[in-house]
Amino acid sequence: MTTDEGVPKLALKETEWLEKLRANFDAEVHLPAEISREFLSAALLWAIENKVDCGLFHGADTIIIAHFGGDEIYLPSRWSDKRWHIAVEDREPFFDPAD
């Protein structure tokens, strides 16, 4: 079965389910889709090691890490140098993309 727009109803239910899942988190990091896989892997491993509850989603041109507020210190952030780092700017980064 499809909707009037030709989209399978199952796909709509899946989309609705993912939106509800994502809405459970109260903060998000939006990384550019072209971020290096090395950086993304390091970021996700660091979050897992630090027991960050998070979800990984994708947008049209972004990779989204949804998380709960307070876990920012374990997740990527864009610093004043316009580069992505893992940690907040006031602290030593876990992963520096320049390395």
Side-chain angles (χ1 to χ4, degrees):
M1 295 195 92
T2 61
T3 64
D4 293 337
E5 295 82 29
V7 177
K9 286 188 178 184
L10 183 59
L12 287 177
K13 287 182 182 179
E14 185 176 296
T15 301
E16 291 170 5
W17 180 82
L18 286 172
E19 288 174 6
K20 288 179 183 178
L21 177 63
R22 187 172 160 193
N24 286 310
F25 297 98
D26 57 13
E28 295 182 346
V29 176
H30 291 247
L31 298 165
E34 64 274 359
I35 197 91
S36 79
R37 297 307 174 233
E38 178 188 23
F39 182 87
L40 182 59
S41 295
L44 293 173
L45 287 170
W46 184 245
I48 290 166
E49 288 175 13
N50 287 283
K51 298 180 178 28
V52 173
D53 293 320
C54 60
L56 191 61
F57 302 90
H58 62 85
D61 56 353
T62 59
I63 297 169
I64 302 160
I65 303 173
H67 63 94
F68 296 106
D71 288 330
E72 293 83 7
I73 61 173
Y74 304 114
L75 295 167
S77 63
R78 192 150 186 202
W79 290 12
S80 57
D81 65 4
K82 306 295 184 213
R83 296 183 341 187
W84 287 94
H85 301 267
I86 300 172
V88 290
E89 190 159 7
D90 302 14
R91 299 184 182 199
E92 187 69 27
F94 163 71
F95 179 84
D96 187 342
D99 290 342

